[in-house]
Structure formats: C-alpha cells, structure tokens
Amino acid sequence: MTVPHEAAPEDTGASRTPVSAARPAGLRGWAGRAVLGLLRASLLVSPRPTVLLVRRQFARGVVERTTRLDAQAPAGVAAVLDERYGPGADEVLDVFHPDDATGPLPTVVWTHGGAFVGGTKDELRGWFRLLASHGVTVVAPRYTRAPEARYPTPVRQVTAALRHVQEHAARFHVEPSRLVLAGDSAGAQISAQVATLTTVPSYARTLGVAPTVHPAQLRGVLLCCGVFDLARLDPRSPLRDVLRACGWAYSGDRRFLDDEAFLSSMSVGRHVTAAFPSTFVTVGNADPLRGQSVALAATLEGHGVDVETLFFPDAHTPALPHEYQFEPGSADADAALDRLVRFVRRCTA
C-alpha cells in the first residue's frame, strides 16, 4: 500500500505507518495542533482514536497504487476470492493461480502488512495476480487487526489458513509439500513467527499456537520490509505517538515496551534456529525499518540459514521507501519481483 514517506530514524519499529498519520492531511495551524493534542491526550486512556486515524490514512494512501496494480494485473490468472477458512468474520482468504493449471503448483502464502492495525489483502490483488502469473499459486489470508484482536491472534489465523489450503489443495492447485511463507511489513513479522513456531517446538509452546504444517513442507520464507524486533523502537521518532498506539492496540498493554515477555515472543530473531527455512529478505534504502531487515538477515546467516538478500546502497537513486516492491512500473520493484520469483523457483524445485 502507498503512504506518504518522509525521512525518519532507522528502526522506528512501525509497520507501514504513514508519517502523515502523525500530521493528518488538511489539518493546519491551530486546528491541526488542537487535534494532535487531543490524540496525544487520548493515548492516556485508549489507543483507539489514533489507530482509527492510521487506518483512515492507509485507506486514503492506497487508492492510486491499488488502481495501478489492478491495471497491470495480467490476464490468464484464475481467482477464488474471500474463501472462508474459519468461523470469524475476518477469516477469509484469496487464492490466485494460472487459469491453465492442471495440477499442484508451488504455493506462496502471503500475509499483508498494515502496522497490525490497518491494511488488507484486497489492496494487493493486482500484485498477487502478477506473482501467480509466474507459475505459482498465491494464497492471501485476511486476519483480524488490532484493537479488535490482540496478539497473537493473526499468527493463529495464518496457521488456520494454512490448514485450510492443505485440506483443499487439489481445488486450489496447492502443492502442500512446496510451501513458501511470505509477507510485507507487519505481515513479514507474522509470517516469520509462523515459520519459527513451525521449526522450533518450544517457541510454539511459548506462543500457545500449534503449527499446522511440518517443517519439511516449508521450503522458503519471503520477508519484505518487515519489523522484527519491537524492542528497537526509537523513542525519538516523530512517529512515537503512532507507534505507541499501534503497539498498545496489538499487545493490549499500554506499557508494552516494558513487557519483556511480549517483546521477546514478538522478536523472532531471538528464537530462530538453523532449522529456519531458506529465506529471502529485501528492504528499500530509504525505509526507516531498513535496520530491522539487515539485522534479521545477519542473525539467520549466523545460524547457518540459507539467506538471499536484496538490499540497496545508501546512495541508491531513486531512494526506495517502505514497501517499494509494490510500486508498479518501477525498475527496482520489477527487479524485486524477478528476484522473488527466482527464489521461489529455486527453493521449491
């Protein structure tokens, strides 16, 4: 999804959080300062007002890019939309595959981002069609966002979606033995958690979430522009109020930064082992979360995990913001898609 971007300190820990959420469009002068003052005051009692503002900004920011992605979606891709994978209102998923598929295909299960409080799979349908046109099945689950649901509800819902697609593998052209978990921003964190609980039984017990696939079924993990360690939130960030609201909404704890048990369980780098699947990590050079991806890739490599990265020099032009890989027509986004597809083919061969 597209949101306005400004320079921000690295490792703010936010997931696709628009800077404009801290300065709502159209609010100027005294009126704007008054509204921001009210939002800050609301954080003394509830994260909800700020979270609702963040959602509204996401919805405004993605319209143009969603339209462009849909326009670039290729023909020849079949879709099953809003297939129910559980009883909850948000427990639906989309499936995309080449419409001439005659058997099972390598399957990418992609979890969308949105700071744990916003975003939706629907915005990325054009891009999912593009990915599926390269000969894979793409599964995109919806999950319940905070504050309507708290951590680790989305993790549990993604594991439920994995169970469902295996039960309907033939209908969806899913190959259960060739699964790749993927996600962007907050979705990258959720997918990394699912991969970790699948490969580390003690971590699954800590979360209270049972895996629904065997480690051998997970051939790879794709992580784009993720947030992987909330303990590295920068208290000097201009987004500090937004970050506090999103973290509070997701954790259910106003003082979540003091909750070591929560921070530890969210920080997948503290729990990964050599059993973690082959992994592809990418992030833009101007993404304020860049350090999170670099650090996780280094941690995985330190455990001997097969890691591919697509990072960019500091001076790369144009500067690549958060979620750069979803910008249609961009040479760097096209290069990222090519690398993603080649990684999937390699690790599912």
Side-chain angles (χ1 to χ4, degrees), residues 78 131 159 168 198 238:
L131 179 57
T159 62
H168 299 269
T198 300

Side-chain angles (χ1 to χ4, degrees), residues 7-329:
E10 193 162 284
D11 288 327
T12 60
S15 169
R16 211 162 48 187
T17 306
V19 172
S20 57
R23 304 190 195 107
L27 295 178
R28 297 292 184 269
W30 289 104
R33 287 193 288 273
V35 170
L36 292 177
L38 289 172
L39 286 174
R40 292 191 180 101
S42 74
L43 286 176
L44 296 174
V45 294
S46 172
R48 189 174 292 271
T50 302
V51 164
L52 293 179
L53 180 60
V54 170
R55 283 187 185 175
R56 186 174 70 180
Q57 290 301 107
F58 277 133
R60 287 178 176 176
V62 302
V63 172
E64 180 184 355
R65 186 168 70 181
T66 299
T67 300
R68 286 185 289 147
L69 284 172
D70 288 344
Q72 292 196 2
V77 175
V80 176
L81 303 181
D82 293 331
E83 166 93 5
R84 184 157 294 285
Y85 69 82
D90 294 309
E91 293 176 345
V92 295
L93 54 79
D94 295 343
V95 181
F96 305 89
H97 58 76
D99 59 12
D100 60 356
T102 58
L105 297 171
T107 300
V108 178
V109 180
W110 193 290
T111 305
H112 72 82
F116 305 106
V117 302
T120 171
K121 63 179 177 58
D122 301 351
E123 298 154 3
L124 298 176
R125 282 174 173 167
W127 194 85
F128 292 147
R129 290 177 185 274
L130 182 61
L131 179 57
S133 71
H134 290 272
V136 301
T137 293
V138 178
V139 176
R142 181 186 298 166
Y143 56 88
T144 307
R145 305 169 301 183
E148 287 77 14
R150 294 177 180 174
Y151 174 80
T153 298
V155 178
R156 188 172 290 111
Q157 289 174 318
V158 171
T159 62
L162 283 168
R163 178 190 296 112
H164 182 81
V165 298
Q166 292 175 89
E167 292 171 347
H168 299 269
R171 179 161 61 93
F172 293 153
H173 296 282
V174 165
E175 175 50 79
S177 66
R178 293 192 290 169
L179 300 175
V180 175
L181 294 178
D184 58 282
S185 198
Q189 194 276 338
I190 294 167
S191 294
Q193 280 197 279
V194 174
T196 306
L197 71 88
T198 300
T199 54
V200 183
S202 61
Y203 184 63
R205 291 192 294 271
T206 296
L207 288 184
V209 180
T212 54
V213 296
H214 189 273
Q217 295 175 253
L218 292 187
R219 298 292 192 89
V221 178
L222 296 168
L223 303 174
C224 299
C225 308
V227 51
F228 305 108
D229 190 347
L230 293 184
R232 297 183 67 184
L233 289 174
D234 188 338
R236 301 164 299 174
S237 169
L239 297 177
R240 59 189 178 276
D241 295 327
V242 172
L243 303 178
R244 285 172 54 204
C246 294
W248 181 1
Y250 193 41
S251 68
D253 183 357
R254 178 184 173 190
R255 302 185 182 279
F256 68 96
L257 288 176
D258 297 324
D259 185 345
E260 178 57 28
F262 167 72
L263 293 178
S264 176
S265 69
M266 282 278 291
S267 302
V268 294
R270 305 187 195 185
H271 304 278
V272 295
T273 69
F276 200 85
S278 295
T279 304
F280 177 89
V281 186
T282 189
V283 68
N285 63 312
D287 190 331
L289 296 178
R290 181 186 183 191
Q292 299 253 336
S293 291
V294 172
L296 181 64
T299 297
L300 292 172
E301 289 173 341
H303 284 285
V305 176
D306 171 36
V307 179
E308 279 190 37
T309 61
L310 178 56
F311 297 151
F312 299 85
D314 292 345
H316 181 81
T317 55
L320 300 178
H322 192 53
E323 302 283 48
Y324 82 93
Q325 75 279 358
F326 293 142
E327 292 302 325

